[in-house]
Amino acid sequence: MLKTLKAQIGEFARDSILTPLCMIGEVIMEMIIPLMMASIIDDGVEKGDIHHIYVVGAWMILAAALGLLFGVMGGRFGARAATGFARNLRRAMYRNIQTFSFSNIDKYSTAGLVTRLTTDVTNLQNAYQMILRMCTRAPVSLIVAMCMAFSISPRLASIYLVAVVVLGICLVFIMSRTFGYFQETFRKYDDLNASVQENVLAIRVVKAYVREDYENEKFKRASGRLRDLFMKAEKILTLNMPLMQLTVYGCILFISWFGAQMIVVGDLTTGNLMSLLNYCMNILMSLMMLSMVFVMITMSRASARRIVEVLNERSDLADGEDPLTQVKDGGIDFEHVGFAYKKGGEEVLTGIDLHIRPGETVGIVGGTGSSKSSLVQLIPRLYDVTEGCVKVGGEDVRRYDLEALRNSVAMVLQKNELFSGSIKKNMRWGNPAATDEEIREACRLAQADDFIQAMPDGYDTHIEQGGSNVSGGQKQRLCIARALLKKPKILLLDDSTSAVDTATDSRIRQAFAQKIPGTTKIIIAQRISSVQDADHILVLDDGKVNGWGTHEELLANNEIYREVYMSQTQGGGDFDQKGED
Ligand SMILES: Nc1ncnc2c1ncn2[C@@H]1O[C@H](COP(=O)(O)OP(=O)(O)OP(=O)(O)O)[C@@H](O)[C@H]1O
Ligand SMILES: [Mg+2]
């Protein structure tokens, strides 16, 4: 874990080393000052030597200024190292998430990834800064101040020893009590983020179902639980300060009491008593800081683990050695394909054998959950098969360079998305170099040109996040146009015209047949009318091929197909109702 994190310090290694060095400089200056003060009192004030006061005073100012400088520099280096470290972490995580395959993504929740990228990184950033500054400062300050105190008066300094042990025990007790609570808060953060994320993304659904009150209540509970945990932890932590003050004032009282007696009999000078009192503060503050660093480290350990998990996640779709960069044609072959979403899990596709020639149009129909989406997702290698193989252009998809393959296979996902930005910008996701004319051509093919022209800003119309300001059918057509701009050899439409009216749907298919005859087109649809003029139609049932043929052949031989066709032509019905009911 530490090795992975260390690699992310990168160019900020210099700052990370300079910070503790500056902190040591600051401590040394802090330690010298009480000594000088003692000298001013004992050799200057008591002996009436004004010159000595001036000289030592000047050195003291210098030491203080240096101490300040070291402190400021340490702070700056520390901040730079910690923020840089956090930036590197975020970048590395983000970059790695981009390489995730669909099955990697299935493993993490979106909310979980967001928490890891934000809260967890911030935690680690704070902890890192604290560690850089305090991990050397506190122990060095504690030890040096202790040595100084002992060199002045071992008898009085032993009071500190007792105080350190007592305070130490109390702090360990406090920290161990709070640690459990802090651990718990991270789990609650995930819940809270999940709740916010889900709710905000689906805010329209929440409103449609008038679930605001329920959602408010749910959020209130989640944030209330978080508050309770923090309150519990903080309640114990507030004991820190009074405990600290009790010890400090106790020490001062004892030192003054015994010190005064020693001064009277001449065992101690007034100046030395002053220094001792100064070290008192140093020693106990260092102990306090150490305990805080300890809390920080334990608190950030959970965050660090969650970050490293994302950093070390490897995409399970690695390119093979010497990958192919050219897809020969749009032919597709499924050979004895079996597929399960989880290794060793239940197969959602079994024994699939299909051969599709380049340029063919193939329709896929079947009830919901019959694995239509699962089947086509194997073609652009969004998932890998668990058995058999899928070939594109005569070659196993695993032999291709992933980018080359996905550029040749355009897929309009069932749950597709538009991004915030103009229509043109969205279209250029398909092909960054597309000219305006090419964009229009693609939109014409997808029957989107008309409604885009009718919009006030035409192709420069701004699309809101998730495409919330266009209708469902418009969004689907924009997504088809975007896929067409890739000029793919294979076009996969997963229920992509479900929200488009039948007439427009038919015009889209006509345009495809005329304008892109060489492209292999695979169309998943619920409506028979969307696929009936395809070269072949595949009927899927429960992950298995139930029928394969033309519309006429299937009408004659395939029971499922015939029933659904009858029910749809006689009004209503779809693949789940199989026509009987
Ligand atoms: N990401 C996933 N992880 C695990 N199981 C999944 C995943 N996606 C789908 N499944 C399962 O795979 C099976 C087939 O789902 P699939 O989405 O392929 O059906 P479909 O035919 O496309 O249905 P629909 O017509 O509703 O889109 C279902 O039982 C579903 O629960
Ligand atoms: Mg589907």
Side-chain angles (χ1 to χ4, degrees):
M1 184 161 95
L2 283 179
K3 219 170 105 196
T4 316
L5 292 176
K6 216 173 108 194
Q8 299 306 328
I9 296 173
E11 67 267 43
F12 299 98
R14 196 186 66 117
D15 294 305
S16 303
I17 294 170
L18 283 177
T19 313
L21 289 183
C22 284
M23 292 336 271
I24 292 177
E26 191 190 6
V27 170
I28 291 174
M29 292 305 138
E30 254 175 32
M31 294 296 143
I32 292 177
I33 290 174
L35 282 185
M36 293 180 174
M37 198 113 120
S39 167
I40 286 183
I41 292 172
D42 293 342
D43 303 329
V45 179
E46 304 236 312
K47 292 185 187 144
D49 183 350
I50 190 82
H51 177 70
H52 184 80
I53 295 179
Y54 280 141
V55 173
V56 180
W59 279 110
M60 234 170 104
I61 291 174
L62 186 70
L66 270 177
L68 190 72
L69 186 73
F70 278 130
V72 170
M73 298 287 279
R76 278 179 72 166
F77 288 135
R80 198 150 67 193
T83 48
F85 176 53
R87 185 200 67 177
N88 286 354
L89 278 178
R90 283 205 188 92
R91 263 199 207 164
M93 281 165 83
Y94 195 75
R95 213 175 287 153
N96 204 33
I97 292 173
Q98 300 299 320
T99 69
F100 279 12
S101 69
F102 275 39
S103 54
N104 288 125
I105 296 169
D106 287 346
K107 219 163 43 185
Y108 299 94
S109 67
T110 318
L113 282 179
V114 172
T115 324
R116 283 166 210 245
L117 272 167
T118 52
T119 317
D120 284 326
V121 173
T122 310
N123 274 336
L124 211 58
Q125 172 184 336
N126 290 340
Y128 188 58
Q129 184 161 6
M130 183 100 163
I131 289 167
L132 282 183
R133 295 181 50 184
M134 297 305 163
C135 257
T136 47
R137 192 188 198 286
V140 169
S141 163
L142 183 74
I143 292 166
V144 174
M146 210 60 148
C147 291
M148 294 283 205
F150 268 94
S151 75
I152 294 172
S153 162
R155 243 183 80 196
L156 288 180
S158 50
I159 292 176
Y160 292 143
L161 217 52
V162 177
V164 164
V165 172
V166 172
L167 188 63
I169 292 173
C170 293
L171 286 178
V172 167
F173 174 74
I174 291 177
M175 295 314 154
S176 62
R177 285 292 303 276
T178 48
F179 178 59
Y181 291 128
F182 280 124
Q183 287 267 315
E184 187 66 25
T185 54
F186 286 108
R187 278 192 286 278
K188 291 280 178 285
Y189 260 126
D190 262 2
D191 289 353
L192 192 76
N193 279 356
S195 165
V196 172
Q197 184 111 26
E198 191 176 52
N199 193 290
V200 175
L201 276 180
I203 189 80
R204 286 154 209 273
V205 183
V206 172
K207 293 202 172 297
Y209 283 83
V210 203
R211 295 271 285 185
E212 290 100 330
D213 285 344
Y214 172 81
E215 290 293 329
N216 274 337
E217 195 52 41
K218 198 167 101 189
F219 186 81
K220 212 169 92 190
R221 271 203 307 274
S223 59
R225 272 197 295 269
L226 202 59
R227 188 196 88 117
D228 290 346
L229 276 173
F230 270 118
M231 279 298 286
K232 276 186 191 150
E234 297 292 342
K235 244 187 221 159
I236 304 176
L237 276 184
T238 46
L239 286 178
N240 265 354
M241 222 44 214
L243 194 72
M244 172 84 188
Q245 298 210 319
L246 191 74
T247 329
V248 169
Y249 289 121
C251 281
I252 292 177
L253 215 73
F254 278 113
I255 300 264
S256 308
W257 175 261
F258 293 115
Q261 288 178 350
M262 285 169 75
I263 291 175
V264 172
V265 294
D267 280 353
L268 192 73
T269 62
T270 324
N272 280 340
L273 180 66
M274 288 278 298
S275 312
L276 275 177
L277 291 177
N278 264 324
Y279 289 131
C280 168
M281 210 61 191
N282 277 328
I283 291 172
L284 299 178
M285 275 305 266
S286 310
L287 199 64
M288 192 81 171
M289 280 176 200
L290 268 183
S291 73
M292 266 152 69
V293 171
F294 182 68
V295 178
M296 272 300 224
I297 293 178
T298 40
M299 262 173 77
S300 59
R301 242 188 29 212
S303 290
R305 208 196 60 238
R306 290 156 51 93
I307 289 173
V308 168
E309 225 171 59
V310 175
L311 283 176
N312 287 344
E313 179 85 34
R314 286 288 158 259
S315 169
D316 46 14
L317 298 180
D319 281 342
E321 270 174 42
D322 194 16
L324 302 170
T325 51
Q326 279 298 322
V327 177
K328 198 172 89 223
D329 57 47
I332 303 168
D333 301 281
F334 278 72
E335 292 176 359
H336 318 295
V337 168
F339 171 65
Y341 277 100
K342 289 208 178 64
K343 280 202 180 67
E346 204 190 332
E347 282 201 333
V348 294
L349 286 168
T350 16
I352 306 285
D353 274 289
L354 285 178
H355 302 281
I356 299 168
R357 283 192 297 277
E360 266 189 340
T361 301
V362 173
I364 302 181
V365 294
T368 53
S370 60
S371 302
K372 303 180 295 293
S373 301
S374 309
L375 180 92
V376 294
Q377 280 174 3
L378 299 176
I379 302 170
R381 210 180 161 207
L382 296 178
Y383 290 94
D384 265 343
V385 294
T386 30
E387 245 183 72
C389 74
V390 175
K391 289 181 173 171
V392 165
E395 292 286 350
D396 192 322
V397 285
R398 286 168 288 196
R399 289 221 39 219
Y400 287 106
D401 172 61
L402 208 56
E403 202 179 322
L405 176 71
R406 296 210 179 138
N407 278 334
S408 299
V409 183
M411 177 157 181
V412 180
L413 293 173
Q414 189 166 19
K415 271 189 249 147
N416 49 48
E417 281 301 337
L418 293 172
F419 293 84
S420 53
S422 68
I423 291 184
K424 260 189 209 159
K425 218 165 144 193
N426 263 286
M427 291 299 126
R428 291 208 166 101
W429 273 70
N431 173 10
T435 62
D436 287 2
E437 192 35 51
E438 282 173 317
I439 292 178
R440 278 202 65 178
E441 181 56 31
C443 289
R444 252 182 246 133
L445 268 178
Q447 309 300 312
D449 185 54
D450 289 344
F451 78 80
I452 296 175
Q453 300 278 11
M455 287 178 164
D457 295 324
Y459 279 83
D460 292 314
T461 304
H462 187 81
I463 302 282
E464 302 293 337
Q465 191 189 356
S468 56
N469 59 339
V470 287
S471 78
Q474 289 173 338
K475 187 169 152 188
Q476 287 188 331
R477 281 179 273 168
L478 288 173
C479 290
I480 295 175
R482 180 173 63 185
L484 285 173
L485 270 167
K486 274 191 164 177
K487 299 212 165 67
K489 292 199 167 71
I490 298 173
L491 179 66
L492 309 173
L493 302 180
D494 188 351
D495 222 359
S496 306
T497 52
S498 57
V500 175
D501 61 281
T502 328
T504 312
D505 186 18
S506 147
R507 278 204 298 278
I508 293 176
R509 272 176 287 121
Q510 266 170 21
F512 281 180
Q514 287 163 9
K515 297 286 168 59
I516 47 168
T519 304
T520 312
K521 295 160 283 275
I522 304 215
I523 300 169
I524 297 181
Q526 293 292 338
R527 286 193 299 245
I528 297 273
S529 65
S530 302
V531 295
Q532 72 183 50
D533 44 9
D535 298 315
H536 288 104
I537 299 163
L538 168 70
V539 182
L540 267 184
D541 184 36
D542 200 16
K544 292 182 197 72
V545 176
N546 184 275
W548 170 259
T550 61
H551 176 66
E552 286 72 27
E553 287 167 2
L554 288 175
L555 268 189
N557 315 324
N558 190 279
E559 205 178 328
I560 298 182
Y561 190 82
R562 189 171 47 234
E563 281 176 4
V564 176
Y565 178 73
M566 299 305 268
S567 70
Q568 289 192 356
T569 45
Q570 284 153 25
D574 63 25
F575 278 92
D576 286 326
Q577 280 143 20
K578 302 249 169 89
E580 302 113 309
D581 38 15

